[in-house]
Amino acid sequence: MLTRLVAPAAAALSGLLLYASFPPRPLWWLVLPGFALLAWCLYGRRARAAFGLGLLAGLGFLLPLLSWTGEEVGPLPWVALATAEALFVAVTCVGIAVVTRLPLWPVWGAAVWILGEAVRARVPFGGFPWGKIAFGQADSVFLPLAAAGGTPVLGFAVVLCGFGLYEAVRQFLTYRSTRKVPRRGAAIAALTIVVPVTAALAALPLVDNSAQNGTATAAAIQGNVPRLGLDFNAQRRAVLDNHARRTEQLAEDVKAGKVPQPDFVLWPENSSDLDPYRNGDARLVIDRAVRAIGAPTVIGAVLTPDTGKLRNTLIEWDPERGPVATYDKRHVQPFGEYIPMRSFVRLFSSDVDRVRRDFGPGDEVGVFDLAGTKVGLATCYEAAFDWAVRDTVNGGAQLISVPSNNATFGRSEMTYQQLAMSRVRAVEHSRAVVVPVTSGVSAVIQPDGKVVQKTQMFTPDALVAEVPLRSSLTPATRLGTIPEGVLVVLAVTGLGWALFRGVRARRSASA
């Protein structure tokens, strides 16, 4: 009886190892034994068993990883989301089990994992890429691969190495039992470990902090919020005043010679939930703060038109001319900024009615010209989507800003997980990234992914840093979705080959 529990326990443990490899823990290498253990669970399994074991692995991974989603709304939405995402993992694991019967199975298996991530990042409701393996690798030796082929290539290399680790152990055990060296198997195991590591080392020259277009002095304002939780913006004027006050304090520090004059200033998402186009008081507060600092400032605001949907908007505010440009968030968050299937979802949680009026998406790429610096904008949730950040760089961004609002999620791990995404994006596109957050952690990130300045959570602060400006495009930026497409085709080819072999074997057996 107990022996039947070994595989389920191992599957759940593999998921926990994947979770433990994610920030804020600097234990990225745990992903390798995590995938090695998952491979042991799935190798040669039938579809039903692989699905069950994959579901356990997915729950072990995603339940703790996404626990922040229940921070203020209770366990039901959290468990529902984690279970739904774990089902994607379960189906992916069925595919991995199928291709373990093929030669070079770790390659096919790693490609199938990326196929699963690609689907999960797109459906339903525009997808939910949180938990992509690449996002746990901000401190990893594999990180330079993000510049070579983006998050799909980085994730593929990590999964391949983990599967290769299992294959190496399997071949060693075969040798111990037979006292014969399984040369082909040993070569496959060695290659699936050595090739990803070698590729990561070869990609190191792509990681470059040099200032190709000079430097800019950027400031990020963290004003803090009056309270934690979903009702943080009940005192919308207090949030706005906090950010204006901290900007004015920065202006005083500049005059006193404590910090250099910034070329531009970045406020976070939701720093003014009062629409400055409709609220004269809010406009005056913002205008006074921007005039005090004397630099173009990006304001995160909620725009409330008379009809239609709300807009989560970033406004470029000039100290002389006022608002001169806007960027509407293009990928609004389902169940956070708008409620799909509202009447159905209400049956499970009345918290859906906290979102009384849905937000609508914008349709233009956000790149502001701030005092001569092209700054690409990806608002909060958008940082998780490859296309959202890549579009800004292709649009000419020399620097990336990810204004965010994590106050809803308290002191959970969410803010650290999101910060790690921005670190991966920095390397992926070879751009410095500035992350202004309402309540923390705000940060300045170099193009090599290193955090050079950061704030404490729920502490008013201002970061001022000289950052390099860059215009060259990494292979990942140039190639766009091609690396992911190649890996998806590889996965589909492997699955088709495995199914064909299975059908042919059954026909031969019945003949």
Side-chain angles (χ1 to χ4, degrees), residues 37 73 106 108 111 115 123 137 161-162 170 176 202 253 317 337 361 393 401 424 477:
L37 189 57
V73 295
W108 306 109
L115 169 61
V123 294
Q137 299 296 297
C161 196
R170 194 173 75 87
R176 288 198 59 178
D253 292 341
W317 204 286
E337 293 172 305
V393 180
S401 176
V424 172
T477 310

Side-chain angles (χ1 to χ4, degrees), residues 463-500:
L463 303 177
V464 181
E466 185 178 15
V467 292
L469 303 179
R470 295 179 56 80
S471 55
S472 64
L473 302 182
T474 64
T477 310
R478 293 178 185 276
L479 292 171
T481 59
I482 291 175
E484 183 179 54
V486 169
L487 292 172
V488 166
V489 170
L490 184 65
V492 172
T493 301
L495 290 168
W497 183 17
L499 292 174
F500 173 76

